[in-house]
Amino acid sequence: MSEWWTYGLSDFLMFSPETYWRLVGRHNAAGWPAQVLGLAAAAALLGLVTVPRAGAARAALLVLAGAWAWTAWAFLAQRYAEIFLAARWLALAGGLQAVLLLAAALLPAPAPHGKPASRPLGFLLLLAALLFPLLGPASGRGWSAAEVFGWMPDPTALATLGALLALPWGGWLRATLAVLPVLALLLGGATRWLLA
């Protein structure tokens, strides 16, 4: 191990781009037409964060909790674990995020702070999550490799950050709920960079 400095990120990638996108395609084919529900849920999230009521925020958190739970189990634990050794740990992290979001939905609603300055960015991230499936065909992989909210990790994490930024409350609760989505997006970005 005297030459550890010669290793790069690509040395830890356990699969080829073809293998990964074929896995995504298999995952999408196995669950079709559930992705339509994911798109509808992302659109509903966009609507829920615009309503300045505690019930709407609670409903948004419940939608996010369900999306994280399903993505962790159906993709990370059941599919991604076939090609990536750390996928089971990622599935546990996704399950933890689902539990945190569920707990936040059941807590008494925090006092709203008016319209946060981060609200426009939150809407932009939610819109990006809603449009995320277009990256598949735009990058030449076709619709079979489209990634949808509630079905794949990256758009789910993106929508979570968007919703957290758009909701009219902040503080420690928002910061706590944002940690795992930020880490998921960093890991997803690093993986995409290595696959490119």
Side-chain angles (χ1 to χ4, degrees), residues 143-161:
W143 286 107
S144 65
E147 297 174 88
V148 178
F149 167 78
W151 195 250
M152 292 294 292
D154 290 349
T156 303
L158 193 62
T160 303
L161 277 182

Side-chain angles (χ1 to χ4, degrees), residues 111-184:
H113 295 335
K115 290 189 178 179
S118 60
R119 195 167 170 88
L121 177 59
F123 284 122
L124 186 63
L125 292 178
L126 276 167
L127 187 60
L130 186 62
L131 298 175
F132 208 91
L134 297 176
L135 287 178
S139 60
R141 291 188 302 269
W143 286 107
S144 65
E147 297 174 88
V148 178
F149 167 78
W151 195 250
M152 292 294 292
D154 290 349
T156 303
L158 193 62
T160 303
L161 277 182
L164 292 173
L165 290 171
L167 288 171
W169 41 265
W172 67 270
L173 182 60
R174 183 184 356 200
T176 302
L177 294 174
V179 171
L180 285 173
V182 167
L183 292 175

